[in-house]
Structure formats: structure tokens, C-alpha cells
Amino acid sequence: MVPSIGCSIDDAPTLAIYNNSRSTMSNLIHPEAESKVLPVKKLVVLLHGVGSNGHDLIKLAPYLREDLPDCHFMAPHGIEPYDMASYGRQWFSLQDRTPYVMQRLLGGNVAAVTAIIKQKQMTLNLTNKDTIVIGFSQGAMMGIYLTLIQPEPFLYTIGFSGLLVAPSQCINATTPICLVHGVLDSVITVDAIDHAIDYLSDHKVPCSAHKLADLAHSIDHRGLAIAVDFIKNRGLKA
């Protein structure tokens, strides 16, 4: 049984999970899970929600790896300390959730996230066309934003319980994007998926959307199955 993984947009894991969240990025070691088989053919980047850290989402790797054995998994920690608690990480501040403010903060922080991904790609001798981005909540916001501004498209992007914050210009309309959202989500309500689909469709970005009944702000076994099917049905050999 795959556990349900999730946290409120203002929640964070306990200190027992990770107690070094005030460290600088240069001191952080990002959790990873090696592929089941060699050579590694794909990199899967797992982006956590606000107030959490990479240790939370790397827990998905054992379940995904069974169907994606040639994928290396990395769950980087957010590039900033969480600014509404004494522990946890964030990709950008959510103290002001005005759309244009979030757009500005995302735009200012994508370079640091790109650098983390590029460093691991170089180590594995992979590129964006071999890279899959999976994000939860704020991690989905970052993952989708990052995808839309890539000069070299990622292979696939999957967003769980997220919100599309549109960049000033959509550069990449090639990467297929899959969105999964719980109908009972009270943190980021499910209508966010409709806004995202409208934007992606308007910009001719290939996309699919799934609203899951009886699911709140979380990832469950149904969402993981959708993610795996989305990847495999578009040519990733498992």
C-alpha cells in the first residue's frame, strides 16, 4: 500500500525528520535514490511543498522506481529557509500570495533551482530531454513555472495539488504536463486545475488533468499510478 503523502501549505515536517533547515544551500545534501538498473537513462526531480524538505518527497522513489527502473531520483531541498516557521524549506516566500508577487519571486529563484538540476544532469551525463519534474503544492508551482521558461524542454512535468503561476512569457510549449488534484483540497482548491488547463490550452501546451474524489491536499496511490502511466504511455521504457 502506497502511503498518502501531503502537508498543508503552512505545515512542515517534524524536526526529527530534518533539523538542519536553516543551513545555506551550499551545505545542504539533497536526498537521492539510485536507479534499479544501469545505465541511468532518466533523472526524476521531486520538488516538495512549502515548509517541508526533500526527505519528504524522496519517500515516493521506492514506489515509482518499481515502474521506472532506469530513473535516478533526486529530491532537492527548497532554496530558502521557510520564513513562517523555525524549520523547513521553501522555493519562494508565500507571505504575500498576490499573483504578481509570486510571479516575481518565482522568476527570481528559478536560476538557483535550475543550477541544482543542471549539476545532477552533468553528473549523470543527462540533459533536460532526459529529465522529469514532479512537484507537490509549492513544488508544483515551481516545477510548472520552471518548465514553461525552459529553452530546452524537459521530458515531462507532473504537478500534484499545485497552482499555475504564469511566467511573463511561455517559452516552452513542448513538455507534456500532467496535473493531479484532490477534490477535497482546502489548501489549494481544485478549481486551480481549471485555471491551469485554460492557460496551458491557450498556449498549446500538451496537458492532462485529473481530479481525484475523496482526496485532500495530498498524494495517494491513485495519483502515483496516474503519474507512472503518464510517463510510460509517452515512451519512457520501464
Side-chain angles (χ1 to χ4, degrees), residues 107-121:
N109 286 0
V110 288
V113 182
T114 300
I116 296 170
I117 295 173
K118 290 294 184 187
Q119 183 176 30
K120 180 50 59 176
Q121 287 174 337

Side-chain angles (χ1 to χ4, degrees), residues 17-234:
I17 295 176
Y18 182 62
N19 59 11
N20 193 34
S21 47
R22 315 315 287 181
S23 299
T24 63
M25 282 302 297
S26 60
N27 294 331
L28 293 178
I29 299 175
H30 305 298
E32 299 184 46
E34 295 182 353
S35 63
K36 288 189 66 177
V37 301
L38 295 175
V40 174
K41 295 184 179 179
K42 302 289 184 292
L43 170 64
V44 177
V45 180
L46 302 165
L47 303 177
H48 63 77
V50 70
S52 183
N53 58 66
H55 292 296
D56 195 30
L57 276 204
I58 201 65
K59 296 172 186 176
L60 296 178
Y63 305 101
L64 296 170
R65 187 168 52 180
E66 293 302 312
D67 292 297
L68 309 173
D70 58 2
C71 291
H72 182 95
F73 295 84
M74 176 180 69
H77 301 301
I79 62 173
E80 298 175 350
Y82 185 37
D83 61 6
M84 289 188 279
S86 60
Y87 53 89
R89 306 291 300 185
Q90 64 186 23
W91 301 106
F92 60 95
S93 176
L94 282 173
Q95 293 201 41
D96 185 339
R97 304 182 190 188
T98 309
Y100 78 87
V101 172
M102 292 194 294
Q103 181 193 63
R104 175 175 55 81
L105 294 176
L106 276 162
N109 286 0
V110 288
V113 182
T114 300
I116 296 170
I117 295 173
K118 290 294 184 187
Q119 183 176 30
K120 180 50 59 176
Q121 287 174 337
M122 290 178 61
T123 301
L124 298 174
N125 195 28
L126 299 174
T127 65
N128 276 10
K129 65 180 173 58
D130 311 306
T131 300
I132 300 163
V133 177
I134 301 177
F136 171 70
S137 194
Q138 194 192 48
M141 298 183 201
M142 175 58 78
I144 295 168
Y145 188 98
L146 186 64
T147 297
L148 295 174
I149 65 167
Q150 289 303 302
E152 179 190 1
F154 291 126
L155 184 57
Y156 311 114
T157 294
I158 299 167
F160 290 101
S161 303
L163 178 73
L164 189 153
V165 179
S168 58
Q169 180 182 5
C170 179
I171 297 172
N172 169 30
T174 302
T175 301
I177 296 178
C178 176
L179 304 173
V180 183
H181 214 119
V183 172
L184 301 182
D185 195 333
S186 61
V187 178
I188 300 177
T189 55
V190 71
D191 59 339
I193 206 170
D194 299 318
H195 162 73
I197 288 297
D198 287 344
Y199 175 91
L200 296 173
S201 298
D202 287 346
H203 289 80
K204 305 296 189 295
V205 179
C207 59
S208 65
H210 307 266
K211 298 179 181 180
L212 301 184
D214 303 316
L215 182 68
H217 194 63
S218 188
I219 302 172
D220 68 1
H221 64 283
R222 295 172 296 169
L224 291 182
I226 290 168
V228 168
D229 287 344
F230 181 77
I231 294 168
K232 293 174 68 174
N233 290 342
R234 282 161 174 77

